[in-house]
Amino acid sequence: MISIGIFSKDFNNLSNLEYRFYEWCKKQEWINIKVFLIDGRNIKKQHILKKIFNFNIFSKLLFICINKIDIIFNDYTKVDQNKKNEIIEWLKNHSKLIIKPIKRKGNIDYFDENLKKEISKYNLDIILRFDLEIIKGNILKSIKYGIWSFHHADNDINRGGPAGFWEVYLKQKITGVTLQRLNDQLDGGEIIEKGYYPTQPTFFRNNSFIIEKSLTILIKNIKLINNNSIIFTKSKKYNKKIYKYPTDFKTIFKYLLIILRNTLIKKIIYKFYYILNYHLHHWTIYIANTKNFFEIDLNKSYEIKTKNKEFYADPFFINKNNKDYLFFENFNYNNSKGSIACATIDNNQLYDKKIILNKNYHMSYPFIFEENNNIYLLPEMSQAMKQDIYKVVEFPYKWELYKTLFKNQFSADPTIYKDQNFNFWLFINQSQDPYNDLNSELYIYKILNFETFNLIPHKRNPVIIDSRRARNAGSIFTWNKKIIRPSQNSNSEAYGNSLNFYEIIKLDINNYEEKFIYNLNFNTINRNIIGTHHYSLFKDKSIIDICFKNY
């Protein structure tokens, strides 16, 4: 049983992340929220958009108006009112302790030994800081696993605030999130875990996105306490700028121009091309005459041509009955939907192509796997909120539904790996946030057998929280006696911006480690290429997909 205390605001004014957290807590028999620590002072809390600026009123109003408009059109995170009321009633049954710091200096609250003694009566494992500003005093050292708090940025490169603004303003491709155990340093507590996410187009969307995504980090590490495998690491020294709320007109006006370019102008361009029935992006499969991913050269590779109304992506290779087959996504521009296709491949050309799976939802990433004379097909089908497993009836064109996993969950890019000890593992990208982002978290499950497909979740799920390397990008393979997992590098520039190759160093039910080997990025040598997000080893060749822009 994990005992938790929480610095909290009034239950009717909780954030969406807090409501989602308490909803999860209600379902866990091993969690005991023992006490809510409520600020007893009459200090009016200020919303993130209503901070008092030290500059002219025009700058303040302009910044508020920009963000208010953004919220109206882009707030996807509202909690269902009935569910919210249910959670509030549940919270009211918990103990409350009214607290008053002995003094406040600026935005720092200082606590004395009396509060430390009062809190010690609850025998807490951790305290979560969902309220108050900066905390100082011996209270920081009085809890078994400390006081936990988020700094919604990577504290190695950005301390201060507001959360999510400066990454947009400075055009940083990635926005970090740091879960830390507080100490006396500003945003410099001991690191519990960090997450990295594609920077969103505007301040409000980036702020909301990283806050909603951070719940996964919190839940994961509370579970690790329960498994007695939590890890704390020391923060690096920080000698850079401490960021503050934008106050000058020049900064705010520049930000306005940035979001106009990121949102309105892009939408107008996309709409214009859509009316003209012009496709802005086009994926193409290439075959390179090398099995060394360091040596892939598009100029020496063979392009598989497609018709104007479709594109091909996510190629998987299998050899069966002395024939080579390619399974891939066949995307149709007319209905904006992908289906699963199969074709024989010979002399770098496709023959006898057929659509083998076509549903009323998008399908892609047809991972194919053979074991015990059975062949399984696991397509990506996140729109259906489930993961189907198909089993071959007549190879290669006839398949039947065999099992369904992860019902009512967003999952993508399932990849099965058989290790040297004949253990089977499912690598899959999943999302449990309002944004349904499938690029940032990698989950691993041990497959007990192929009859039932019973799964045991990895103890450190999600094992990776980083959009630069979390999402799968093809089958795990052996190269130079190393086990290589290809992954996508997704950032603010593009989904599947480039390809990573990581060596799997350690894999068991308690541990997962991988080491960076190489990043394959064609964007730097060809301005018309915006992404590559899949790799398959094909005998002595490599198969990849490339996304070109047509504007």
Side-chain angles (χ1 to χ4, degrees), residues 30-31 73 77 102 144 146 152 156 160 171 198-199 232 240 247 255 266 287 330 358 369 385 393 417 433 506 539 551:
W30 53 275
I31 284 182
F73 291 100
T77 63
I102 55 174
K144 184 176 181 181
H152 286 100
D156 288 342
K171 302 178 184 177
T199 300
F232 300 96
K240 302 175 185 177
T247 59
Y255 168 66
K266 278 190 176 181
I287 301 176
N330 194 141
N358 186 18
F369 185 81
M385 292 186 67
V393 177
Y417 167 60
D433 59 84
K506 181 181 292 185
K539 294 185 174 179
Y551 57 94

Side-chain angles (χ1 to χ4, degrees), residues 259 283 291 391:
I259 66 170
W283 287 91
K291 61 181 180 179
K391 191 174 180 180

Side-chain angles (χ1 to χ4, degrees), residues 52-140:
I52 300 300
F53 296 148
N54 297 319
F55 202 67
N56 64 64
I57 190 66
F58 181 73
S59 299
K60 173 184 176 182
L61 290 175
L62 177 60
F63 191 60
I64 291 175
C65 287
I66 292 170
N67 290 287
K68 285 290 187 182
I69 293 171
D70 199 12
I71 290 172
I72 291 172
F73 291 100
N74 296 290
D75 191 359
Y76 310 120
T77 63
K78 295 178 181 177
V79 180
D80 177 82
Q81 189 60 45
N82 291 331
K83 186 181 292 185
K84 178 178 175 181
N85 293 337
E86 181 183 327
I87 294 171
I88 290 173
E89 289 303 313
W90 179 72
L91 294 176
K92 287 179 180 178
N93 295 323
H94 291 76
S95 297
K96 291 183 183 179
L97 178 63
I98 305 300
I99 61 172
K100 291 184 180 181
I102 55 174
K103 67 176 180 177
R104 164 173 279 212
K105 186 176 180 181
N107 59 347
I108 301 175
D109 291 319
Y110 292 86
F111 293 89
D112 61 8
E113 290 295 322
N114 291 330
L115 181 61
K116 177 181 174 182
K117 292 177 182 178
E118 191 70 25
I119 291 177
S120 65
K121 297 176 183 178
Y122 293 92
N123 195 26
L124 300 174
D125 292 301
I126 56 172
I127 292 180
L128 304 179
R129 191 193 72 169
F130 287 150
D131 194 33
L132 299 182
E133 303 239 10
I134 301 169
I135 299 174
K136 298 283 187 179
N138 289 334
I139 188 175
L140 295 173

Side-chain angles (χ1 to χ4, degrees), residues 240-304:
K240 302 175 185 177
K241 176 181 178 180
I242 300 294
Y243 288 92
K244 298 180 180 180
Y245 277 79
T247 59
D248 62 287
F249 177 77
K250 182 180 178 181
T251 299
I252 295 169
F253 184 73
K254 182 179 177 181
Y255 168 66
L256 176 60
L257 295 180
I258 289 172
I259 66 170
L260 285 176
R261 186 194 66 224
N262 287 350
T263 57
L264 184 61
I265 294 175
K266 278 190 176 181
K267 284 184 178 181
I268 291 173
I269 293 173
Y270 286 2
K271 188 68 175 179
F272 176 75
Y273 281 113
Y274 178 79
I275 293 172
L276 295 178
N277 197 28
Y278 188 83
H279 312 305
L280 292 173
H281 302 150
H282 186 83
W283 287 91
T284 302
I285 293 175
Y286 277 79
I287 301 176
N289 292 316
T290 177
K291 61 181 180 179
N292 189 337
F293 46 80
F294 286 86
E295 301 174 351
I296 295 176
D297 184 346
L298 285 188
N299 295 323
K300 298 179 181 178
S301 301
Y302 183 85
E303 177 185 1
I304 296 179

Side-chain angles (χ1 to χ4, degrees), residues 154-169:
D154 180 352
N155 72 341
D156 288 342
I157 63 173
N158 183 341
R159 296 189 185 181
F165 174 80
W166 293 104
E167 289 85 353
V168 176
Y169 183 83

Side-chain angles (χ1 to χ4, degrees), residues 117 136 160 166 212 302 314 342 344-345 348-349 358 367 411 442 456 462 472 494 551:
K117 292 177 182 178
K136 298 283 187 179
W166 293 104
E212 296 296 338
Y302 183 85
D314 293 344
C342 173
T344 56
I345 180 171
N348 296 331
Q349 295 190 46
N358 186 18
F367 178 83
S411 302
L442 175 65
I456 300 176
N472 293 318
Y551 57 94

Side-chain angles (χ1 to χ4, degrees), residues 7-9 37-43 45 97-101 104 109 131-132:
F7 286 111
S8 177
K9 58 181 78 68
L37 306 168
I38 309 296
D39 191 346
R41 298 166 296 176
N42 292 320
I43 297 178
K45 304 297 179 182
L97 178 63
I98 305 300
I99 61 172
K100 291 184 180 181
R104 164 173 279 212
D109 291 319
D131 194 33
L132 299 182

